[in-house]
Amino acid sequence: MFCFQCQETAKGTGCTVRGVCGKTEDIAKLQDLLIYTLKGIAYVVTKGKLDAGKLPDINRQMLNSLFMTITNANWDGMALEEQIKKMLAFRNELKKTVALPDLPDVATFEVDTRENMLDKAASVGILATENEDVRSLQQTITYGVKGMAAYSEHALLLGKEDPEIYAFIYEALAATLDDTLSVDDLVALTLKTGEYGVKAMALLDEANTSKYGNPEITEVNIGVRKNPAILITGHDLTDLEQLLEQTRGTGVDVYTHSEMLPAHYYPYFKKYDNLAGNYGNAWWKQVGEFESFHGPILFTTNCLVPPRSEEVKNRIFTTNSAGYPGRSHIKADANGKKDFSEIIALAKTLPAPDEIETGSIVGGFAHNQVFALADKVVEAVKSGAIKKFFVMAGCDGRMKSREYYTEFAQKLPQDTVILTAGCAKYRYNKLNLGDIGGIPRVLDAGQCNDCYSLVLIALKLKEAFGLDDVNQLPIAFNIAWYEQKAVIVLLALLHLNVKNIHLGPTLPGFLSPNVAKVLVDTFGIAGMGTVDDDMKLFMGA
Ligand code: FS2
Ligand code: SF4
C-alpha cells in the first residue's frame, strides 16, 4: 500500500505497511481502486462530452464514493467492494451511450472478486505516476476533489446541487489521467479546484442556512443530564434533524460530538429539548470519550477511529459515506428518510453518560452573525482595541506538536481575536480567553466548511475599510490541517489569493519539493515554527 493523503502520514512521507490511522493494506487498495474506477467514469463523461447535470444517480454515487475514501470515513471492505462494483456498472452503462474509440484500461478493466480487485489495485495506486511533481499535483487535485465532494454531498442531502460542480469533478479526475498535461497545466487546474471548492462551500452554506437558519450566538452545555443518550458525530445536519425528530419524547437525549457541535448554533435545532449539549472534544479523543459516554454513537461522516474494545464497537452505527465492518449501516429510503429505531432501542438499555466536563462554550459566529456585529468590530479595529485577527481554522489531530495551537492561542496578545471553524477549535475553545468590549476573543463560525464564513467576514472587513486586497487587512492565517476537506479549504483560500498562510503542524507529505516551492514562491505558504518565533513574525515585532 501507499497512502500519503493526511497530515499524520508515516514519517511525513507515506504509509506503506499499515496506516497511522489504522488503515489496512486491503482497505487502502480498495480505496485506490475505487478512485481509479471513478476516473474511468470521468473519462467516459468528459471524452463523450456528456452533460453532467443529467446524470443524477451517478453524480450522487460519485460524491459518496469520493467521500468513502476520505481519511477515517469508511473502514468496511465489503462496502468499498460493493461501491466499486456499483461504479463499474455505471461506467459500463455510460459507455453504451457514447461511441468512444480506443478506450484505455481505466474505461475497460473489469474486476469481480476481492482477490482480483486487490491485484488490480496494486498497479493503479498513487505510485503508478512516476514523475514526482506530476504525481504531487495529481494527488493535490484528487484530494481537493474529495473535500469538494464531501461538502457537495451534504448540500445534496439538503436538496441543493450545482451541475457545474459535478462537471468540474469529472474534468479534474479525467485530467489526472492525461499525461499530455504539463506541470503548469496541473498547477492551473489545482487553483481551479480551489475555485470550485469556493462554489461547493457556498452551496453548502446556502443549503444549511436556508433550511436551518443563520447561526447565531449560542451557549452550548458541555455537561450531562441523567437520561440515556445517543452521541451524534460527523458533519451531516439532516441526520441530526432526523435523529432529533425520532428521539423526541422517548426519554433519550442526543448529544453532539466534535464537528457536530456547530449544529447548536442553528435556530432550527433550538426547538428540540432533547438536544442536550456537546459531549467531548475533537475526533481523536473519541477513543476515551466514547467509553465514558455509554450510549450508542452515530457516525454521519468521518472521523471514525477504530475502537479499542468490543464494547464500544458494538455501540457504533454508521450512515452516509461512513462505515465500519460488522456494524449496522443505516441507509436512507428513496425519500431520504432513515430509520434510527435500532439505535434508540439500544440507547434505552444503556446508562446515562458520565460527566467529563461541566459548564458551557459559546459559538455561532458565522457570516450573518458577524455582519450583525460589523459596526462594533470595525469600531474596535479603528480604535485599536482589536489589533489583529488570527484565522486558526481547520482540523485537530493526535500529534503532540499540535499543542503549539493551544500555546499560541494562550500567548496571543489581549488585543487579538481568533476566527475559527472546524475541529481545530478544540485546542483553545475552552481556555476562557475573554472578550474585547463584548466581542469574544474566540469567534467560532462552525464546521470546517464554514471557513467559507471566515472568507466572507474577511471580504466584509476589506469593504468596510475600503481596501483593494484582502491581504492588506490585519488578518493572519495560522491554519491546522489533517484530512482532505482541509485540502479543499486551503485551495479555496489560494484561489481567493490569500497570501502568507501558515500551515501546520507539518506541510503535506504529498507536496513534492518543487510543488511546495511553487506554493511558497507564489503564495508565501509557510510551515509552523516555534510559538515564540511565529508570534514575533505575525505581530511584526
Ligand atoms: Fe475534523 Fe475530521 Fe471537519 Fe475533518 S472531525 S478532521 O473530518 O472535516 O475537520
Ligand atoms: Fe496514512 Fe493518513 Fe493514509 Fe491513514 S489516511 S494510511 S494515516 S496517510
Side-chain angles (χ1 to χ4, degrees), residues 1-10 14-16 18-24 28 31 69-72 75 398 482-484:
M1 68 174 276
F2 183 82
C3 180
F4 60 179
Q5 67 173 355
C6 85
Q7 185 273 323
E8 293 184 0
T9 194
C15 296
T16 54
R18 186 187 172 88
V20 172
C21 59
K23 191 156 84 176
T24 60
Q31 292 184 350
T69 70
I70 284 184
T71 301
N72 292 336
W75 302 87
R398 285 170 277 230
Y482 173 60
E483 42 79 309
Q484 299 76 56

Side-chain angles (χ1 to χ4, degrees), residues 445-457:
Q447 298 177 333
C448 45
N449 45 289
D450 295 308
C451 284
Y452 176 70
S453 256
L454 303 183
V455 166
L456 293 190
I457 292 165

Side-chain angles (χ1 to χ4, degrees), residues 344-363:
I344 299 166
L346 176 62
K348 287 180 178 168
T349 69
L350 295 168
D354 292 345
E355 191 153 75
I356 53 173
E357 292 171 302
T358 55
S360 61
I361 45 179
V362 175

Side-chain angles (χ1 to χ4, degrees), residues 307-386:
R308 60 187 172 195
S309 75
E310 281 293 300
E311 192 280 317
V312 171
K313 181 187 143 187
N314 292 333
R315 289 190 274 120
I316 285 178
F317 295 80
T318 62
T319 189
N320 305 323
S321 57
Y324 200 77
R327 296 302 306 141
S328 269
H329 183 79
I330 318 277
K331 288 194 171 145
D333 68 14
N335 300 313
K337 294 279 167 279
K338 291 178 183 173
D339 179 0
F340 294 129
S341 54
E342 186 191 353
I343 309 179
I344 299 166
L346 176 62
K348 287 180 178 168
T349 69
L350 295 168
D354 292 345
E355 191 153 75
I356 53 173
E357 292 171 302
T358 55
S360 61
I361 45 179
V362 175
F365 296 92
H367 53 86
N368 192 68
Q369 177 65 83
V370 176
F371 289 0
L373 298 169
D375 290 350
K376 209 170 168 182
V377 173
V378 169
E379 194 40 51
V381 174
K382 284 189 176 154
S383 72
I386 295 178

